[in-house]
Amino acid sequence: MRWETVRQALVALMDAIRAAALRVLLKCCAKDLEGILKCNAAPEEHLGLPVSVIALANQEPELAQALYARPLEVISLFDDAALQAQSEIKNIIERRAAEGRQVTNGTADGAGAAPLLNVYDNVHVRLVGLPSSLDPRVGPLRPPLTRVGCAQLHQLLSVTGTIVRGSPVRMWESNQVYECTRCKGRFGLKCSIESGGTVDVPETCPIQRSQPCTGSKFKKVPDISIYSGYQEIRLQAATACLGLGEPPASLTVVLQDELADSVKPGQGVEVVGVLVPRWLSTTPGQRCELELVLIANNITAWTGGRGRGRPDIEPQGLQVPASVPSLLPEPCGITASGLQATPEVVALFEDFWQAHADKPLWGRNKILAGVCPGVAGLLPVKLAVLLVLIGGVARRDEGGTHIRGEVHLLLVGDPGTGKSQIMKWSCQASPGRAVLTTGRGSSGAGLTVSAVREGNSWALEAGALVLADGGLCCIDEFDGIRPTERAVIHEAMEQQTVHVAKAGLVTSLSTRTAIIGAINPRPGTTITCSRPLTEVTGLEGPLLSRFDLVLLLADPRHPDWDKLVAGHVLARRSIAGPDAAASRTDTKQPVALLGPPDLKATVPNPILVSSGLEDSAPVDTQHAANRGPVDEGQMSIAQRVAARLSRNVQGSASGALKTLQDKSAEDVERTKMAAPEGVTVTSCTQDPKSAWTLEVIRAYILWVRERKPPAMSPEAERVLVAYYGAMRRAEERIAARSTIRALESLIRISQAHARLMCSNRVLLRDAVVAVVLADTSQQLLHIPGGDNVTCARFPNDPDQELLMHQRVVLTALGLTSLLPAPPPMLPAPFD
């Protein structure tokens, strides 16, 4: 009698949950249910019904609590309520149609045919707008993949990651029908993934009658089972979220019904599901093993645009109901470092360019000062890296052919020129996904896609280029790729797709990624523009033509340059901490010969170092001291940036500024006394790091990508076309670098530079910069300084240097009409 009371209470509870779910569906999903009734799909097809969790919590708070407490059971009751809701919506529509016919014709006989409405048994509720997706911080409902474990068993989770493997779609029995041998009644049972697809047969007959059946023997009814699609994918944590030396965590996700085959390897997804244990082996005599799998209730693919930090609003195969509000972050979303490009931070970027309207190149070089500050010189390389991270504008021509917007860069340099450091910094600064690999440790399949065997079937496993879709892929030792496998990446670089036909799996995957490759010159060759690139690099012409920029980094052996580089390295080491500089001074060690200020980044105001933007106005320390104390430890990075730029800092900042200035002056005097005569030194205590830190540059890249694409000006078009013609007419032209792809590359580089300069148009200066960068490896125009990329430093007046480059380029291309008019001569004064 006691167990019967408990059973009746459970039945009453389930009926209450089902009734609450029915009310939510009828009130919030009426239009979607009506669309399902009119979709005219096959009776056995599985359909998804999106339900907003926010709307559910507003309508039925107790139901939302039950959903988080027992997600599997409540979702199953939701599916039952969806079937009942279809019937009620159908009755309402038919009744309204009948009433309308009576009003129009007086009788129902003369009216037209009623709309065809079908009630579908296989409608599944898909949860959208999970509250945890509103808060990007790690929480109990949104744990990282590295922390998903037994503590989250049977809980509703939302996890994000990249699909690295996808199995083929299989069929499995989702429901089986059994018959009682005593009362001949039939009932259905759902198969359990946790037990490997088996069902739990009840001990007594579950059929509800006036007189309960006591039968305990059942037999399976053949040919009545319900089959559905089933697919397993492997979800891996994003590499940008991993620490140094931390292996990427992965999790098996089970996709059922219409979710199967909705995503492909290489896509970034957000999965809402329930974590359950699954038995790997239930064979008698063998060891029992368990694994954690996530049964997906809904899966959302992230956007393919580079650097976008939000998933698509529409889940795969579903239409978002109109009642769902905008729950996801804005396009300028959360960066990997936590700095968010909020309207306040965007206003700071706009104010920065307004302050540098008269000298835009000076402002650009301030941004470049934060690019890999540990490497001396290499100004063209740092500029090229920023252009790669920003990218051009993708488009489609009249024939429908996709023209990529990503910029590919190849660094050809001697050992020790900083290629690997540049690539590592690029991966850290990329707002989207970033993959760093080597050519010697990767095969052609490892870079694109490979087929792996899983039991009796085959599965696709994504390679480096597919995993970096929408981001950046850096390949060190690019020449280590075997020549027979280099042709595999031709399609991935230009068409940005990989067509796969392996082990009976025929599909295509996206590789919309920018590529930075690094390569050493062939043994016995020297880096010079007079030799063909195919001879220096050992790469074939078709592969070289796919790189938009090729920069030659020769290691100069000049005593002055060696002294400057040594001073730069020692200066970076001295700022590692105050103890290092103090210990070196106290022990009377030799003073480091620091490089001149143009070798290092612009020294910002000490108060604004970590804020990300340098304020050119003088700091009112007295006004800052009068301000009340602000606890910056509890602020977000975006709030800290805004607070510091508005001088809302702690009063102790003025004291720290004075102490830093006094200490700086003392160290400068001490260094000058110890330095040899004629050597220029700067203070060791001043922080040579740029005000444009890594986090701020990442947020800036994310912002400029979301801006309106720049339009090409007629002056820029003339310059690019003229330089392309000069490349084609050159006597000793490089065939691999003078194809029609070269013109497309020039367009992409100029567009990326216009984006970097926060301009809505590709101006003459952007085209000139593109020509100067492209000409460094060919020297067709003999631009001064273009043959020495390694020693290129920050000029004292970059805007004046651009005018000089503009004059040289336009004169060599015969476009002197585009030169600016000289200023008018002033009349000579009277004696």
Side-chain angles (χ1 to χ4, degrees):
M1 189 66 182
R2 179 182 176 184
W3 293 110
E4 182 65 21
T5 304
V6 173
R7 188 183 67 83
Q8 292 178 358
L10 291 177
V11 171
L13 179 60
M14 294 175 61
D15 293 339
I17 294 176
R18 191 180 293 107
L22 178 61
R23 292 194 297 269
V24 171
L25 295 179
L26 292 177
K27 189 168 185 178
C28 301
C29 305
K31 293 184 178 180
D32 298 280
L33 288 170
E34 183 178 352
I36 291 176
L37 293 173
K38 298 178 181 179
C39 67
N40 196 23
E44 64 277 4
E45 187 174 350
H46 293 265
L47 303 174
L49 176 64
V51 176
S52 171
V53 181
I54 298 296
L56 185 151
N58 291 335
Q59 298 295 329
E60 299 286 343
E62 296 181 356
L63 180 59
Q65 294 178 2
L67 176 64
Y68 287 116
R70 307 288 294 180
L72 286 177
E73 292 82 354
V74 174
I75 291 175
S76 177
L77 295 176
F78 258 106
D79 294 346
D80 298 339
L83 181 61
Q84 186 177 354
Q86 291 182 77
S87 301
E88 295 197 11
I89 294 292
K90 179 181 179 181
N91 295 333
I92 294 174
I93 295 176
E94 291 178 347
R95 185 171 60 251
R96 289 177 180 176
E99 293 176 356
R101 289 195 298 268
Q102 291 179 2
V103 172
T104 303
N105 302 324
T107 61
D109 297 334
L116 181 60
L117 302 177
N118 297 321
V119 177
Y120 294 91
D121 297 332
N122 301 322
V123 174
H124 309 282
V125 170
R126 303 303 180 190
L127 302 177
V128 298
L130 197 66
S132 59
S133 64
L134 299 177
D135 188 0
R137 296 173 297 179
V138 175
L141 299 178
R142 195 185 181 91
L145 283 179
T146 54
R147 298 182 183 178
V148 173
C150 298
Q152 290 81 23
L153 278 177
H154 303 290
Q155 292 184 6
L156 190 65
L157 303 177
S158 174
V159 296
T160 58
T162 304
I163 302 176
V164 296
R165 180 181 298 182
S167 68
V169 179
R170 306 183 182 95
M171 302 300 293
W172 76 301
E173 283 184 305
S174 59
N175 290 272
Q176 297 179 4
V177 179
Y178 283 81
E179 182 181 278
C180 178
T181 58
R182 183 169 184 176
C183 64
K184 304 302 180 181
R186 294 184 177 184
F187 55 92
L189 296 176
K190 292 185 177 180
C191 300
S192 174
I193 293 181
E194 303 180 33
S195 57
T198 60
V199 296
D200 296 329
V201 181
E203 296 180 357
T204 60
C205 182
I207 301 177
Q208 300 295 329
R209 301 169 183 255
S210 57
Q211 294 182 356
C213 176
T214 59
S216 60
K217 294 183 179 180
F218 315 97
K219 64 177 181 180
K220 181 180 178 182
V221 180
D223 302 332
I224 306 183
S225 300
I226 300 177
Y227 295 86
S228 61
Y230 170 86
Q231 184 187 22
E232 291 187 7
I233 61 175
R234 194 70 178 172
L235 198 65
Q236 180 176 297
T239 55
C241 303
L242 301 177
L244 182 62
E246 181 180 356
S250 58
L251 180 66
T252 301
V253 179
V254 177
L255 304 180
Q256 305 177 74
D257 305 324
E258 82 282 358
L259 297 182
D261 202 25
S262 61
V263 291
K264 295 181 179 180
Q267 284 185 315
V269 295
E270 179 179 3
V271 183
V272 177
V274 182
L275 189 69
V276 299
R278 182 175 63 177
W279 293 97
L280 292 179
S281 176
T282 57
T283 305
Q286 294 185 1
R287 181 179 179 181
C288 298
E289 295 182 359
L290 283 171
E291 69 169 345
L292 294 178
V293 298
L294 186 68
I295 302 178
N297 174 264
N298 193 13
I299 186 167
T300 306
W302 295 66
T303 53
R306 297 185 58 214
R308 295 177 183 263
R310 66 187 183 103
D312 284 326
I313 294 295
E314 293 188 7
Q316 296 294 324
L318 298 180
Q319 296 294 329
V320 175
S323 59
V324 178
S326 179
L327 303 176
L328 298 173
E330 293 299 322
C332 292
I334 304 298
T335 62
S337 64
L339 180 59
Q340 183 179 5
T342 59
E344 292 79 8
V345 178
V346 170
L348 298 177
F349 293 149
E350 294 176 348
D351 293 342
F352 173 82
W353 283 112
Q354 290 179 2
H356 295 82
D358 297 335
K359 289 183 174 294
L361 270 295
W362 184 263
R364 185 204 69 178
N365 283 8
K366 283 187 177 181
I367 303 176
L368 292 180
V371 177
C372 199
V375 178
L378 299 180
L379 179 59
V381 178
K382 296 179 179 181
L383 175 59
V385 165
L386 267 187
L387 299 183
V388 169
L389 293 176
I390 293 175
V393 180
R395 60 183 177 88
R396 289 188 178 275
D397 57 11
E398 298 178 356
T401 304
H402 174 75
I403 306 298
R404 61 180 171 92
E406 286 73 17
V407 179
H408 300 327
L409 170 65
L410 179 63
L411 301 177
V412 184
D414 293 325
T417 52
K419 302 185 298 296
S420 299
Q421 294 294 329
I422 290 290
M423 296 172 67
K424 290 181 180 179
W425 185 93
S426 303
C427 290
Q428 296 175 359
S430 176
R433 289 181 284 179
V435 177
L436 177 61
T437 182
T438 60
R440 296 190 183 277
S442 302
S443 61
L447 291 175
T448 54
V449 65
S450 60
V452 294
R453 192 173 185 86
E454 286 190 350
N456 296 327
S457 60
W458 292 82
L460 291 179
E461 187 168 356
L465 295 176
V466 179
L467 292 177
D469 182 36
L472 174 69
C473 183
C474 295
I475 306 176
D476 202 357
E477 298 182 357
F478 197 84
D479 54 337
I481 305 175
R482 289 187 287 271
T484 57
E485 297 181 346
R486 292 174 186 171
V488 178
I489 63 176
H490 287 181
E491 179 190 3
M493 293 182 65
E494 191 64 27
Q495 283 74 32
Q496 296 189 322
T497 55
V498 174
H499 287 81
V500 184
K502 298 181 179 180
L505 303 175
V506 181
T507 184
S508 61
L509 303 175
S510 298
T511 57
R512 294 163 295 183
T513 174
I515 296 178
I516 299 180
I519 187 175
N520 293 330
R522 297 181 63 185
T525 61
T526 57
I527 298 179
T528 176
C529 299
S530 59
R531 288 190 174 185
L533 287 177
T534 54
E535 179 183 345
V536 176
T537 62
L539 301 180
E540 299 80 6
L543 188 57
L544 280 176
S545 66
R546 285 165 167 79
F547 284 99
D548 301 281
L549 281 175
V550 178
L551 299 181
L552 306 179
L553 309 179
D555 187 13
R557 290 178 291 178
H558 301 298
D560 296 338
W561 173 251
D562 296 338
K563 185 182 298 184
L564 294 178
V565 172
H568 180 80
V569 173
L570 293 176
R572 299 296 305 180
R573 183 178 180 85
S574 66
I575 66 170
D579 298 337
S583 61
R584 187 175 62 254
T585 304
D586 295 339
T587 55
K588 306 299 182 182
Q589 293 181 0
V591 179
L593 300 180
L594 304 183
D598 58 357
L599 263 181
K600 59 179 64 176
T602 307
V603 179
N605 193 303
I607 293 182
L608 308 179
V609 167
S610 61
S611 64
L613 289 175
E614 181 182 353
D615 192 356
S616 58
V619 177
D620 189 358
T621 56
Q622 182 178 0
H623 179 70
N626 295 332
R627 292 279 187 179
V630 179
D631 188 7
E632 294 185 3
Q634 299 180 356
M635 293 183 179
S636 64
I637 298 180
Q639 292 173 344
R640 196 177 304 133
V641 171
R644 292 191 178 189
L645 288 185
S646 61
R647 301 176 183 83
N648 238 348
V649 295
Q650 298 181 6
S652 60
S654 59
L657 174 62
K658 186 176 184 304
T659 304
L660 182 60
Q661 291 174 345
D662 295 342
K663 187 176 180 181
S664 176
E666 295 176 1
D667 288 344
V668 168
E669 293 298 329
R670 187 184 302 110
T671 305
K672 287 182 179 180
M673 294 175 61
E677 183 178 359
V679 176
T680 304
V681 297
T682 56
S683 172
C684 296
T685 59
Q686 286 181 332
D687 190 353
K689 292 188 297 183
S690 172
W692 286 80
T693 59
L694 180 67
E695 294 80 6
V696 179
I697 291 179
R698 189 185 293 116
Y700 180 77
I701 294 172
L702 191 64
W703 173 61
V704 296
R705 284 180 182 174
E706 298 294 336
R707 287 172 52 87
K708 182 180 179 180
M712 186 72 65
S713 63
E715 296 82 5
E717 288 183 356
R718 292 182 60 185
V719 172
L720 299 182
V721 172
Y723 183 70
Y724 172 69
M727 295 170 60
R728 300 286 292 178
R729 293 190 303 268
E731 295 181 358
E732 298 180 357
R733 71 183 184 93
I734 304 176
R737 303 293 301 161
S738 57
T739 63
I740 189 60
R741 291 174 181 162
L743 181 58
E744 294 288 348
S745 300
L746 293 172
I747 295 174
R748 281 189 287 267
I749 298 170
S750 58
Q751 290 173 342
H753 191 267
R755 281 180 161 183
L756 173 62
M757 304 294 292
C758 191
S759 176
N760 294 327
R761 299 187 65 198
V762 180
L763 303 177
L764 178 63
R765 68 184 180 195
D766 304 313
V768 171
V769 171
V771 169
V772 171
L773 286 176
D775 196 63
T776 55
S777 61
Q778 304 186 50
Q779 287 298 302
L780 297 179
L781 307 183
H782 302 287
I783 301 175
D787 57 342
N788 196 351
V789 175
T790 308
C791 300
R793 297 175 286 176
F794 290 91
N796 296 328
D797 192 350
D799 295 275
Q800 190 64 31
E801 185 184 58
L802 176 65
L803 293 178
M804 183 268 293
H805 288 167
Q806 182 174 309
R807 190 179 304 107
V808 172
V809 170
L810 296 181
T811 303
L813 297 179
L815 299 176
T816 55
S817 60
L818 299 180
L819 289 172
M825 298 294 295
L826 297 177
F830 294 100
D831 295 335

